[in-house]
Amino acid sequence: MSSTPYQDTYSAALVIIGNEILSGRTQDTNTMWIAERLTDKGLVLSEVRVIPDIEGTIISTVNELRQKYDHVFTTGGIGPTHDDITTDSVAKAFGVDVERNAEAFRMLEEHYGLMELTAPRSKMSLIPVGATLIPNPVTAAPGFTLENVHVMAGVPRIMQAMFDHILSTIKAGKTVLSNTVNCTISESILAEGLEFIQNQYPFVSLGSYPHFRGGAMGLSLVLRSTDMETLEKATQEVIDLIRRHGEEPRALS
């Protein structure tokens, strides 16, 4: 199913669920953290969506993305309150019921104690039928995996613990390597040459990113590939292109 521009990698999508993100009250800090770790494992984050706590939107988004990508990761909406509807919504996307999961209930009971395991807390032991639990060593309430959809908490510390567990259980692809070449030449001047290089190396992703640093405009040319030899060849062609326009690249990383 992989639809990434790199060889021997897997594709992934991230769904951030929560009205608090869309309202601006809470800042998303999970995306960059997740993207970096996926790249290291040869899973390429191809799409990120931020959606509200609306059942129909969650269902349609999950159903669309799980058909397009090898893995779908969701964050948010699996807590104990009335607006935490991700679990029920994902279950409906797959056409399955939710049930009191004995192992999830045991985890919560062990963490809180039976006397403190209130109805809202015990709600977090309701898991879609057929799902596999994702352990939560921070607050015990687990996430779950249903086929290629991995449902996690939104709180960064909890999400990170869940995510590390998921990565230990799924098949990895080749690590995506990258080089960055910096210059001060306008990207419009380099555009045709960059397009030519890109066409010569279909398994290298070549991106052009203008920036403003230290009071001056600049350009970062980022090349990514899973094959080091091919990456180095394409990088050298970018360096040569810049030199033909009369500038020595300022940095290469």
Side-chain angles (χ1 to χ4, degrees):
M1 187 190 298
S2 181
S3 58
T4 79
Y6 313 108
Q7 292 177 297
D8 303 315
T9 59
Y10 297 94
S11 61
L14 172 62
V15 183
I16 303 165
I17 302 169
N19 294 335
E20 71 279 7
I21 300 292
L22 289 167
S23 70
R25 291 179 59 86
T26 300
Q27 182 179 5
D28 168 49
T29 61
N30 290 332
T31 299
M32 184 173 69
W33 192 91
I34 289 172
E36 289 178 349
R37 279 151 185 80
L38 286 174
T39 298
D40 290 342
K41 292 280 287 187
L43 288 91
V44 179
L45 186 58
S46 303
E47 186 170 349
V48 179
R49 294 195 191 179
V50 184
I51 63 173
D53 297 298
I54 297 176
E55 181 181 278
T57 303
I58 297 171
I59 291 171
S60 62
T61 301
V62 168
N63 275 335
E64 176 189 350
L65 296 181
R66 71 188 179 98
Q67 301 297 328
K68 290 175 61 178
Y69 299 109
D70 296 308
H71 295 279
V72 177
F73 300 87
T74 79
T75 65
I78 61 171
T81 60
H82 70 282
D83 57 343
D84 288 312
I85 63 170
T86 297
T87 296
D88 285 340
S89 300
V90 171
K92 289 178 181 179
F94 280 88
V96 300
D97 294 326
V98 297
E99 65 178 0
R100 175 66 48 79
N101 183 284
E103 180 62 13
F105 189 84
R106 183 198 65 76
M107 292 174 177
L108 291 165
E109 182 181 0
E110 186 177 278
H111 182 79
Y112 290 108
L114 189 58
M115 295 298 294
E116 297 297 323
L117 188 54
T118 61
R121 286 172 174 168
S122 65
K123 171 192 172 186
M124 295 185 290
S125 67
L126 297 175
I127 304 293
V129 174
T132 301
L133 297 182
I134 302 171
N136 171 5
V138 181
T139 62
F144 61 88
T145 293
L146 200 54
E147 295 184 11
N148 64 333
V149 178
H150 312 281
V151 178
M152 304 178 292
V155 177
R157 184 182 172 205
I158 301 173
M159 181 281 298
Q160 291 170 11
M162 290 183 173
F163 191 80
D164 285 341
H165 174 80
I166 297 169
L167 288 188
S168 72
T169 65
I170 61 180
K171 188 176 181 180
K174 286 188 176 180
T175 300
V176 179
L177 310 168
S178 69
N179 283 337
T180 301
V181 182
N182 296 306
C183 68
T184 61
I185 302 172
S186 169
E187 65 177 346
S188 62
I189 293 174
L190 298 176
E192 289 187 3
L194 293 174
E195 183 178 5
F196 177 81
I197 294 171
Q198 179 66 90
N199 291 337
Q200 296 298 112
Y201 296 92
F203 295 112
V204 174
S205 172
L206 173 54
S208 172
Y209 307 103
H211 58 254
F212 189 79
R213 298 172 186 164
M217 289 295 297
L219 185 67
S220 292
L221 302 169
V222 181
L223 300 93
R224 296 184 176 93
S225 177
T226 56
D227 182 78
M228 177 62 78
E229 182 178 356
T230 303
L231 178 64
E232 293 300 328
K233 288 180 179 179
T235 301
Q236 187 59 53
E237 292 210 24
V238 170
I239 292 171
D240 292 342
L241 173 65
I242 294 171
R243 286 172 175 164
R244 288 198 297 272
H245 285 278
E247 183 176 325
E248 188 66 23
R250 293 180 303 166
L252 173 64
S253 60

